[in-house]
Amino acid sequence: MLNKPTRLPNMHKYKKLLIIPIIVAAILILWFLIYQLVFNPYRGTTDKHVEPLPLDATLTEKQVLKDMDYTIKTIRSHHPAWLEKDNAKVQAVEEAYKNERQKLQEDGTDSYTTLDEWYILSGIINKLHDGHTGVLYKSDSNCYIDDVTQVEKYGVPVEINGNPSDQLLKDFMGLFSYEGDEYARGIFIDIIQNEAYLKLLGVDTTDGVTFTFATEEGNKDYHYSMVPYEQVKGISQERDEQWVDYEIDKDNSLAIFTLKECNYDDYYISTVNQFFKEVKENKIENIIVDLRNNGGGHSYVADEFLSHLDIDGYNTWACAIRYGIYLKKYDASYNPVDKRPDAFSGNLYVLTDVNTYSAAMDFAMYVADNDLGTIVGEASGNMPDSYGDVLTFVTPNSSLNLRVSFKRWYRIDETKSGQPIEPDVPCDPRDALTVTKDMICN
């Protein structure tokens, strides 16, 4: 008797089953590539320092035009404003770019410097008035005036190399990226100590610079050489102090938490935990958070701090994030707080000045717009309704540092949209700590 032949498997059926995961994998790979090339906000960015060309390095017209085109193309493809309807600032940037590009082509010169390019690009991006978007000259060889003693004592000089400071400030405000005029005026005193920015403003630093200060004895001239930052004399102790620190004044039931930078790391978290532990142990009723001269960083520093308060939660802001050709709006939300054993239920005060910026301003906004405490000092340096979260790029020829926002933030209290964080108790920010202590102790 013959055996029945073994039935062969249906290979056609198996081929159909096999092709399904191949198609799925291909779709996933294709989507990944599309995301990386079109939707990924971080496409084309760099997280490494790239040394720019020297300010006097020579560039051709073609190189400058390429850097200009790269800069505008990058901003167009990443900045939220370019996906917003009828944005007048976008139109101003585009018009400035068009005019500067045409002027360059008609100039007839084929030799430019890195400084020339920096000047051109700064003037274009300035029209956006976004404090987080701009072109910077970040070089390891940057130099500064060799002594800041007189600047610390007298403030902004009346003249620099015979150039009126009022005119230099006006020029600076046409080149710098900022949101509020007061912030630009406030940071000007730091800018004029930097040789690169002095050159950007047209000041000849070949033989150093002469600052003319208005003193009680009349105008006085001081001449400075340009040196690396490490060699600068007269740096105030405040500049080099610990970036996060605190002190407990048990006698006055007062604790002062000083934050100079918004660094969210394990050291910050442990410092906050220890701070509130000592506040609890010493039965402190008043906390002062000093955010003066804090240029920002990570906004999570505020969340970490507020999680120690005796509150149920707090409102956060709405934002819009640009994913390539798509601008995604995220609504405001409520952040609940799981109360800790050391939850603080006393009085909270926050000190601000014009240099309270970015994430530090966010900290102050949380407190102000959620009625969690009292703001003392001066209005914040940038607006709660602003662009932010910086992406970093490098221009292809000059290697200038290009910073571009890819998010837009909206103020928590929408009734105050378009306004800075104004203090509840306005005063000279230099006196804010004294004023607050007087309110607490009297």
Side-chain angles (χ1 to χ4, degrees):
M1 182 176 179
L2 295 176
N3 294 325
K4 289 184 178 181
T6 304
R7 187 172 183 180
L8 295 176
N10 188 338
M11 297 305 295
H12 184 67
K13 177 180 179 182
Y14 280 105
K15 286 181 180 180
K16 284 186 176 181
L17 292 175
L18 184 61
I19 202 170
I20 293 176
I22 293 176
I23 293 174
V24 172
I27 291 173
L28 291 175
I29 292 172
L30 180 61
W31 167 245
F32 175 78
L33 292 174
I34 292 174
Y35 174 78
Q36 293 298 328
L37 295 173
V38 180
F39 295 102
N40 183 6
Y42 298 94
R43 65 196 186 283
T45 61
T46 180
D47 57 358
K48 297 179 180 179
H49 171 69
V50 178
E51 183 67 13
L53 294 182
L55 286 173
D56 59 357
T58 302
L59 296 166
T60 65
E61 176 190 301
K62 184 177 180 180
Q63 289 175 315
V64 175
L65 287 172
K66 183 176 180 180
D67 284 356
M68 289 176 64
D69 295 343
Y70 171 84
T71 298
I72 297 303
K73 180 180 178 180
T74 301
I75 296 176
R76 285 173 180 164
S77 61
H78 289 80
H79 200 285
W82 267 256
L83 293 184
E84 297 171 346
K85 293 182 179 180
D86 302 322
N87 191 312
K89 293 177 180 178
V90 169
Q91 296 172 13
V93 171
E94 292 288 356
E95 187 67 23
Y97 163 65
K98 178 183 176 181
N99 292 338
E100 289 297 332
R101 200 179 195 287
Q102 182 176 353
K103 187 187 303 182
L104 200 72
Q105 291 175 308
E106 295 175 350
D107 185 47
T109 303
D110 194 44
S111 180
Y112 298 89
T113 64
T114 306
L115 180 61
D116 292 331
E117 182 181 302
W118 184 24
Y119 185 93
I120 293 169
L121 293 177
S122 296
I124 294 171
I125 301 175
N126 164 267
K127 306 296 185 293
L128 187 58
H129 284 287
D130 171 10
H132 289 88
T133 297
V135 178
L136 305 178
Y137 187 78
K138 299 183 69 174
S139 172
D140 293 334
S141 61
N142 274 358
C143 289
Y144 305 81
I145 60 173
D146 61 4
D147 189 346
V148 298
T149 305
Q150 293 76 36
V151 174
E152 296 269 340
K153 182 177 181 180
Y154 300 121
V156 175
V158 292
E159 291 183 349
I160 299 177
N161 278 9
N163 301 294
S165 291
D166 288 346
Q167 182 58 50
L168 292 176
L169 173 60
K170 183 178 179 180
D171 295 342
F172 170 67
M173 294 178 73
L175 297 170
F176 187 61
S177 295
Y178 65 95
E179 292 156 31
D181 289 355
E182 289 304 315
Y183 177 73
R185 294 190 184 100
I187 202 172
F188 183 65
I189 193 170
D190 296 320
I191 290 299
I192 59 176
Q193 300 172 41
N194 185 321
E195 183 180 24
Y197 274 100
L198 285 172
K199 289 182 176 180
L200 183 67
L201 296 176
V203 177
D204 185 358
T205 63
T206 305
D207 298 316
V209 290
T210 298
F211 283 12
T212 303
F213 294 97
T215 73
E216 293 181 356
E217 295 79 27
N219 287 352
K220 286 187 178 181
D221 290 343
Y222 292 86
H223 187 76
Y224 307 105
S225 299
M226 294 297 168
V227 299
Y229 182 78
E230 296 74 19
Q231 299 177 23
V232 176
K233 300 176 184 177
I235 296 294
S236 66
Q237 183 178 357
E238 180 180 337
R239 294 190 184 188
D240 296 325
E241 67 184 352
Q242 179 65 39
W243 62 271
V244 58
D245 201 2
Y246 67 85
E247 59 181 284
I248 303 293
D249 181 356
K250 187 175 180 180
D251 292 338
N252 291 304
S253 193
L254 169 65
I256 303 173
F257 187 86
T258 303
L259 186 63
K260 295 297 180 184
E261 300 172 11
C262 293
N263 298 327
Y264 184 70
D265 55 18
D266 291 339
Y267 180 71
Y268 174 76
I269 294 172
S270 64
T271 301
V272 172
N273 288 337
Q274 184 62 30
F275 171 72
F276 279 100
K277 178 183 178 183
E278 293 186 32
V279 165
K280 183 75 170 181
E281 291 172 349
N282 290 284
K283 299 179 180 179
I284 299 298
E285 297 178 356
N286 302 280
I287 288 178
I288 297 175
V289 179
D290 191 350
L291 296 177
R292 294 173 297 176
N293 295 307
N294 186 322
H298 205 303
S299 60
Y300 280 1
V301 296
D303 295 282
E304 181 66 29
F305 194 92
L306 297 180
S307 70
H308 287 267
L309 302 186
D310 187 14
I311 56 178
D312 295 324
Y314 52 92
N315 295 312
T316 65
W317 58 80
C319 75
I321 303 177
R322 179 164 180 178
Y323 299 100
I325 58 175
Y326 179 57
L327 188 62
K328 170 66 175 175
K329 177 74 179 290
Y330 294 88
D331 294 332
S333 61
Y334 182 78
N335 194 8
V337 171
D338 294 328
K339 293 185 182 180
R340 301 172 183 249
D342 61 359
F344 176 74
S345 59
N347 302 311
L348 178 63
Y349 302 85
V350 176
L351 312 185
T352 62
D353 63 6
V354 73
N355 294 315
T356 302
Y357 202 83
S358 194
M361 180 276 298
D362 292 339
F363 197 139
M365 176 173 60
Y366 271 135
V367 174
D369 287 4
N370 284 283
D371 296 321
L372 300 179
T374 302
I375 310 296
V376 182
E378 187 177 36
S380 59
N382 72 311
M383 298 293 182
D385 297 281
S386 63
Y387 302 104
D389 267 23
V390 172
L391 302 173
T392 302
F393 305 85
V394 177
T395 55
N397 292 300
S398 61
S399 294
L400 290 171
N401 184 276
L402 172 62
R403 294 158 55 89
V404 182
S405 300
F406 76 101
K407 295 182 182 179
R408 176 165 186 173
W409 306 102
Y410 301 88
R411 182 160 183 169
I412 296 173
D413 186 348
E414 295 181 356
T415 66
K416 297 179 180 178
S417 178
Q419 301 176 29
I421 304 300
E422 297 283 0
D424 300 299
V425 182
C427 66
D428 187 321
R430 293 170 294 184
D431 302 327
L433 182 57
T434 301
V435 169
T436 307
K437 285 182 176 180
D438 288 343
M439 287 192 299
I440 293 171
C441 299
N442 295 332

